[in-house]
Amino acid sequence: MKMISKYGCFRLLAVLIAGVLGSHVAIGAPMDGAQLLARRAQLQAELQEQSFGEPLVLRSQDDGKRLEGEVYAELGQPMERIRSMLGSGESVCGMLFLHLNVRSCLSEQTSEGLVLHMAAGPKQGATPATTYRMDYRMVVEATKADYLRVSLKAQRGPLGTYDYRIVFEAAPVDAKRSFLRVGYAYGYGSLAKMAYGLYLTTVGRTKIGFTVLGRGADGAPQYIQGERGSMERNVVRNYLALQAYTSVPTGSIQVQTEARLRTWFALTERHAAQLHEMDLAQYLEIKHEDLKDMAAAARLR
């Protein structure tokens, strides 16, 4: 069998690591506010445990054909602020851009609806040859006083990956708090599995997720690794991006963008064992260059 190239492997990993996308439950039929809050009640013990340092519960699975993850979390932001942000393609792009592997995201209203043009690439030294572009159709599936659901869908990705989906759902807990579900999922085949297996034997071999599988002889937790570990890291990064974006409601565009970048980085550093990749100065330098490139691309459209 012909060996997969290092470049081909990276093209897959640029998307998998960039992670911008729910479980079968998350991408199923929309619920309503009462049903989402009923889920909050079911998870109350885990939410109060605050194993993440905040009321957050993570679920993930890999059935051999599809990777799925979802975060349930209680966020100290009013429902209307979340609705305003998730109802705008520009804002959703701004939120997704906070992820260190998302190199650009531009929204466009087309004849087929709102589309987010996203490019994912390596944390450093991204070039057109090492960047993978995907278009996500964004749909506000439900918007009521007590419930919001927004989905992003892309039919296919690199190396045979397919059916990429992001889902955001929210319901108000009270005037100042909201309960959220953030879902991420995609399907994959044998070629993608081979590429990811190569990654896990090289640069990805020490990376861990959040699920504790057991304890070592010294009592230290043993965390999940592999594809599910990657899924967990990315769905948490996506939730933290939403948290960072909504935490900065005022100021000029430049001031807000800078504050959101710094906030996202600080939030991820609270989970450094799983999410640390570089220092703040490196992250800001890369993002500032990406912003310049995005502004130039927008002027040419």
Side-chain angles (χ1 to χ4, degrees):
M1 178 181 293
K2 183 179 180 181
M3 289 294 292
I4 186 169
S5 70
K6 182 178 180 181
Y7 168 61
C9 177
F10 174 74
R11 290 183 68 199
L12 168 67
L13 297 175
V15 177
L16 298 186
I17 296 173
V20 199
L21 303 168
S23 69
H24 286 309
V25 175
I27 60 178
M31 299 191 297
D32 58 32
Q35 289 173 311
L36 186 54
L37 292 179
R39 184 64 173 142
R40 171 178 176 264
Q42 294 171 355
L43 295 170
Q44 198 57 222
E46 291 177 83
L47 291 167
Q48 292 181 353
E49 188 177 289
Q50 297 203 16
S51 58
F52 284 80
E54 60 181 295
L56 185 153
V57 174
L58 171 66
R59 297 281 189 265
S60 69
Q61 67 177 32
D62 178 5
D63 66 5
K65 295 181 180 180
R66 188 169 184 82
L67 277 164
E68 306 176 341
E70 58 185 347
V71 161
Y72 293 90
E74 197 169 282
L75 183 62
Q77 297 292 344
M79 181 71 171
E80 286 311 308
R81 184 172 298 167
I82 295 170
R83 186 194 313 281
S84 176
M85 190 275 285
L86 289 177
S88 162
E90 183 177 354
S91 295
V92 172
C93 261
M95 174 189 69
L96 298 178
F97 175 74
L98 298 176
H99 193 300
L100 72 172
N101 286 102
V102 176
R103 310 314 300 263
S104 71
C105 186
L106 296 170
S107 65
E108 180 184 14
Q109 188 66 49
T110 73
S111 59
E112 297 182 352
L114 185 59
V115 176
L116 307 186
H117 305 287
M118 194 189 74
K123 296 179 287 293
Q124 296 175 302
T127 67
T130 60
T131 301
Y132 195 87
R133 299 183 180 276
M134 295 179 70
D135 295 331
Y136 296 97
R137 185 178 179 188
M138 176 177 158
V139 178
V140 179
E141 297 184 2
T143 177
K144 304 175 183 177
D146 67 342
Y147 179 67
L148 174 71
R149 178 181 166 102
V150 178
S151 68
L152 279 71
K153 301 178 183 179
Q155 292 185 345
R156 58 184 59 86
L159 295 178
T161 54
Y162 59 92
D163 192 21
Y164 282 81
R165 304 199 182 191
I166 308 173
V167 174
F168 301 99
E169 292 179 281
V173 174
D174 54 35
K176 296 182 178 180
R177 296 178 298 158
S178 301
F179 186 63
L180 303 172
R181 179 165 61 171
V182 179
Y184 167 25
Y186 59 86
Y188 67 93
S190 58
L191 189 58
K193 192 172 183 66
M194 183 192 305
Y196 206 78
L198 177 60
Y199 166 76
L200 293 174
T201 61
T202 54
V203 295
R205 65 185 181 278
T206 62
K207 294 185 179 294
I208 59 174
F210 292 90
T211 296
V212 177
L213 299 177
R215 299 276 173 176
D218 59 356
Q222 296 176 323
Y223 293 101
I224 195 165
Q225 295 181 282
E227 293 95 330
R228 273 186 62 195
S230 175
M231 167 61 71
E232 292 186 353
R233 292 193 298 275
N234 287 313
V235 75
V236 170
R237 282 179 170 131
N238 292 336
Y239 165 70
L240 296 178
L242 188 154
Q243 185 177 359
Y245 199 95
T246 56
S247 71
V248 186
T250 60
S252 67
I253 293 176
Q254 291 77 13
V255 168
Q256 286 182 317
T257 298
E258 186 71 13
R260 287 163 177 160
L261 289 169
R262 291 176 177 272
T263 300
W264 183 86
F265 186 88
L267 290 171
T268 62
E269 285 297 288
R270 291 168 55 183
H271 310 288
Q274 289 85 5
L275 303 182
H276 179 79
E277 298 285 349
M278 61 182 67
D279 62 32
L280 176 61
Q282 290 174 303
Y283 172 71
L284 291 176
E285 181 181 4
I286 291 168
K287 287 300 183 181
H288 291 160
E289 287 300 315
D290 288 342
L291 286 167
K292 291 178 183 178
D293 292 342
M294 285 172 57
R299 288 193 294 269
L300 295 175
R301 291 173 64 185

